Amino acid sequence: MAWSIAQVARSSGVTSRTLRHYHSIGLLMPARVAPNGRRYYEQEQLLRLQQILLLRDLGLSLDVVGEVIAHRDEQDAIEVLAKHKEWLVKEQLRLGRLVQTVDATIDNLKRGGEMSPDKVFEGFERNPYEAEARERWGDEAVDASYQRMRGWTEADAEKARTGYPRVHEGLAALKAEGVAVTELSVQELIQLHHEVTCLFWTPTREAYKGLGQMYVDDERFRQNIGSGDDALVEYMRDAMTVYADSKLES
Amino acid sequence: MAWSIAQVARSSGVTSRTLRHYHSIGLLMPARVAPNGRRYYEQEQLLRLQQILLLRDLGLSLDVVGEVIAHRDEQDAIEVLAKHKEWLVKEQLRLGRLVQTVDATIDNLKRGGEMSPDKVFEGFERNPYEAEARERWGDEAVDASYQRMRGWTEADAEKARTGYPRVHEGLAALKAEGVAVTELSVQELIQLHHEVTCLFWTPTREAYKGLGQMYVDDERFRQNIGSGDDALVEYMRDAMTVYADSKLES
DNA sequence: GCTTGAAGTTGACGTAGCGGCAACATCTAC
DNA sequence: GTAGATGTTGCCGCTACGTCAACTTCAAGC
């Protein structure tokens, strides 16, 4: 006895549209299509439909469902399911991480709110060196730096404001004591300098050494860093060179 | 300074296609569109893009992202995120259940089980004859019958409830009048009987004749149909035989 | 026999978020 | 002047159907 599409639909809990769809993609062909176009199904198609729905409800795509059912190989099916399970687990973990991130974002919003742009750029927008920086490194680099600044937390911003002066003062003290630039205490300060620099851009080894040299070459940097003590700036350059060669990737 | 679409794309880690898409759906309008059609972005758009990507990467839809950013209300954003987190957790739990189901299915397959679950029919109302029906005709036939019942319309159910009694009463009356089993009035009643039977299963010619014989052989059917009048049951069997031979396919 | 309602059919569009063409315009560099 | 990079606007494709629209066909009642 032949079943109409609506009977199959009701008995299997799907819509007739779904059955038509399965027909159109060749996943479940009716047993017979009458000359008037109506679809009729038999026992065999109902069984196949049950298998299709079972696999579909496991989250497999219809493509995969079709393949699994077509192959009729049990070992194959197990493999597909095992792979699918792996994917499910991965996806589950991803969602778990997302939940944590969302939580963190909510926390961040509740405490002091999101970094508003005004706050981030406070104290930097009128940077007297910006015009020259654009000239020297190009607009893209400068703007990229600004973009990076938007990712700052409050702590980052604090670090950016106070980091460089602390490095300069610390270096001056160590140099006065005659500490070699290869010493750990000096290198730790340079590391701080590097970290602060990385808040703006990420220098490669050569770029970082070039930055040290620029401090020496440019009178304004020399003045800003050494406050008259040109030897201090050279000391810093040497320390940066040591640091770059030992810690940075080319 | 104006950024070209490719520059923005590179600095933000998205494709230019994505930026065009965001433009087309109004999520991120360029600062300026030159007469030649080229898009140019400014600092402001970059900031907005960062916010968009942040929210997008939390799994929010672009629609929602647009709303959150447009409203600029912190409390609103927190609410949306909290709701979104709930959804994420739910989805995560769903995946967890799926993993379990997949696992169970794999187990089932390994232990020689099939993918066609008789489980589907679990929880269905059992009638007192079911156990015997399974014994007599096998699980497959009974399950198929149950599935067929799920496809019933209201009219079908009504027919199933009232059909058999109407047949029995009608036959009793005709037999009392001495009408031959080959007469149209009798055959019309048998046709009704056949239709009702087809609501449960589809008998072939021989199966239908066997069914009539079973009514005679089985005491319970005899009692149910004839209410003591065994001759009525035999009358019905004969009528069914005539019907089967004239109307049913072997 | 005629009307009506239920059930069927074939398109076609919509979904979310772009990817990936094609066909064409424009800019930049040598 | 020509090539090559970079840009533009479409349009199709992807999942698994839902949801019309416009017809046709079937079963039942008068």
Side-chain angles (χ1 to χ4, degrees):
Chain A
M1 177 226 181
W3 303 40
S4 77
I5 196 170
Q7 287 174 321
V8 175
R10 275 194 299 271
S11 87
S12 298
V14 298
T15 67
S16 53
R17 178 67 181 83
T18 298
L19 293 174
R20 274 192 279 273
H21 180 55
Y22 289 176
H23 181 188
S24 80
I25 64 173
L27 183 57
L28 181 70
M29 307 304 280
R32 192 169 68 83
V33 177
N36 59 23
R38 301 200 167 193
R39 298 164 175 81
Y40 292 101
Y41 299 82
E42 298 285 351
Q43 199 71 3
E44 189 188 335
Q45 283 72 44
L46 288 174
L47 176 60
R48 187 180 165 101
L49 178 56
Q50 290 305 323
Q51 298 176 342
I52 289 172
L53 296 181
L54 174 74
L55 294 173
R56 184 194 70 168
D57 292 346
L58 292 179
L60 293 173
S61 75
L62 295 186
D63 261 13
V64 176
V65 168
E67 284 173 24
V68 170
I69 290 190
H71 285 330
R72 306 292 301 141
D73 182 24
E74 197 168 293
Q75 205 54 42
D76 225 34
I78 290 178
E79 248 178 64
V80 171
L81 286 182
K83 212 167 174 184
H84 180 58
K85 179 194 158 190
E86 242 179 79
W87 183 86
L88 284 174
V89 170
K90 260 194 208 164
E91 188 65 7
Q92 204 190 1
L93 290 177
R94 192 179 71 84
L95 288 184
R97 286 195 306 274
L98 264 189
V99 168
Q100 301 225 340
T101 310
V102 171
D103 253 349
T105 306
I106 291 177
D107 261 22
N108 195 15
L109 276 175
K110 280 183 179 167
R111 269 182 304 173
E114 219 171 357
M115 291 285 289
S116 82
D118 302 347
K119 231 182 203 170
V120 177
F121 292 109
E122 219 170 69
F124 291 102
E125 248 172 350
R126 297 177 188 176
N127 184 337
Y129 298 117
E130 181 179 333
E132 189 189 352
R134 286 181 185 277
E135 207 177 315
R136 192 192 293 271
W137 293 298
D139 282 326
E140 192 164 339
V142 173
D143 282 324
S145 177
Y146 274 112
Q147 187 172 4
R148 186 173 295 208
M149 286 163 64
R150 287 201 311 274
W152 284 0
T153 61
E154 274 303 334
D156 286 336
E158 170 72 12
K159 196 172 180 178
R161 273 196 302 277
T162 64
Y164 284 143
R166 272 164 55 206
V167 170
H168 302 158
E169 289 165 18
L171 284 179
L174 290 171
K175 170 168 174 286
E177 290 172 29
V179 178
V181 295
T182 53
E183 288 294 322
L184 186 59
S185 52
V186 174
Q187 289 298 306
E188 279 176 346
L189 276 178
I190 296 299
Q191 182 173 353
L192 173 56
H193 174 268
H194 179 250
E195 284 170 10
V196 173
T197 303
C198 283
L199 288 173
F200 298 91
W201 59 296
T202 305
T204 62
R205 178 190 291 173
E206 288 312 310
Y208 197 56
K209 295 203 291 198
L211 182 64
Q213 187 58 46
M214 196 204 69
Y215 287 166
V216 174
D217 293 341
D218 190 291
E219 185 191 342
R220 285 157 308 179
F221 276 106
R222 230 166 46 224
Q223 183 58 34
N224 185 26
I225 294 168
S227 302
D229 184 359
D230 289 356
L232 172 59
V233 183
E234 289 170 10
Y235 179 84
M236 181 169 176
R237 175 201 59 193
D238 294 342
M240 287 171 69
T241 301
V242 168
Y243 184 85
D245 283 332
S246 68
K247 295 286 181 59
L248 298 185
E249 294 174 10
S250 53
Chain B
M1 173 228 180
W3 300 43
S4 76
I5 195 168
Q7 287 173 320
V8 174
R10 274 195 299 271
S11 89
S12 299
V14 300
T15 67
S16 53
R17 179 70 182 79
T18 298
L19 293 173
R20 274 192 279 274
H21 181 55
Y22 289 175
H23 181 188
S24 79
I25 64 174
L27 183 57
L28 181 69
M29 307 305 278
R32 192 169 68 85
V33 178
N36 59 20
R38 300 201 168 191
R39 298 163 174 81
Y40 292 100
Y41 299 82
E42 297 285 352
Q43 201 70 4
E44 188 188 335
Q45 282 72 45
L46 289 174
L47 174 60
R48 188 179 164 100
L49 178 56
Q50 290 305 321
Q51 297 175 340
I52 289 172
L53 295 181
L54 173 74
L55 294 173
R56 184 193 71 168
D57 292 347
L58 292 180
L60 293 173
S61 75
L62 295 186
D63 262 13
V64 176
V65 167
E67 283 173 25
V68 170
I69 290 189
H71 285 329
R72 304 294 301 144
D73 181 26
E74 198 169 291
Q75 205 54 42
D76 226 32
I78 291 179
E79 246 178 67
V80 170
L81 287 181
K83 211 166 173 184
H84 179 57
K85 179 194 159 190
E86 238 179 84
W87 184 87
L88 284 173
V89 170
K90 260 194 209 163
E91 189 64 8
Q92 203 190 0
L93 290 177
R94 192 181 72 85
L95 289 185
R97 286 196 305 274
L98 263 190
V99 169
Q100 299 223 342
T101 310
V102 171
D103 254 347
T105 306
I106 291 177
D107 262 21
N108 196 14
L109 275 175
K110 280 184 179 166
R111 275 179 308 188
E114 283 180 21
M115 285 184 305
S116 53
D118 294 41
K119 262 187 276 177
V120 172
F121 306 101
E122 244 174 30
F124 256 70
E125 273 187 56
R126 305 295 184 177
N127 69 51
Y129 299 113
E130 185 185 330
E132 192 193 349
R134 286 181 185 278
E135 203 173 303
R136 194 191 291 271
W137 294 295
D139 283 341
E140 197 174 319
V142 174
D143 285 338
S145 177
Y146 272 111
Q147 185 173 4
R148 187 170 296 204
M149 286 167 65
R150 293 173 55 195
W152 285 358
T153 61
E154 270 308 324
D156 286 337
E158 171 70 13
K159 197 171 181 179
R161 270 196 308 278
T162 64
Y164 285 146
R166 271 163 57 204
V167 170
H168 302 157
E169 288 162 22
L171 283 180
L174 290 171
K175 171 170 172 283
E177 291 170 19
V179 179
V181 295
T182 53
E183 288 294 321
L184 186 60
S185 52
V186 174
Q187 290 299 306
E188 277 176 351
L189 276 177
I190 296 300
Q191 180 172 358
L192 173 57
H193 174 268
H194 179 250
E195 284 171 12
V196 174
T197 303
C198 283
L199 288 172
F200 298 93
W201 59 297
T202 305
T204 62
R205 176 190 294 173
E206 289 312 312
Y208 197 58
K209 296 202 286 195
L211 181 64
Q213 186 59 46
M214 197 204 69
Y215 287 164
V216 173
D217 294 339
D218 191 298
E219 188 191 342
R220 287 159 305 180
F221 277 107
R222 229 165 48 222
Q223 184 58 37
N224 185 28
I225 294 169
S227 304
D229 182 359
D230 288 356
L232 173 60
V233 184
E234 287 169 13
Y235 180 84
M236 180 171 177
R237 176 202 59 195
D238 295 342
M240 286 172 69
T241 302
V242 168
Y243 182 84
D245 283 333
S246 68
K247 296 286 181 63
L248 299 186
E249 295 172 9
S250 51

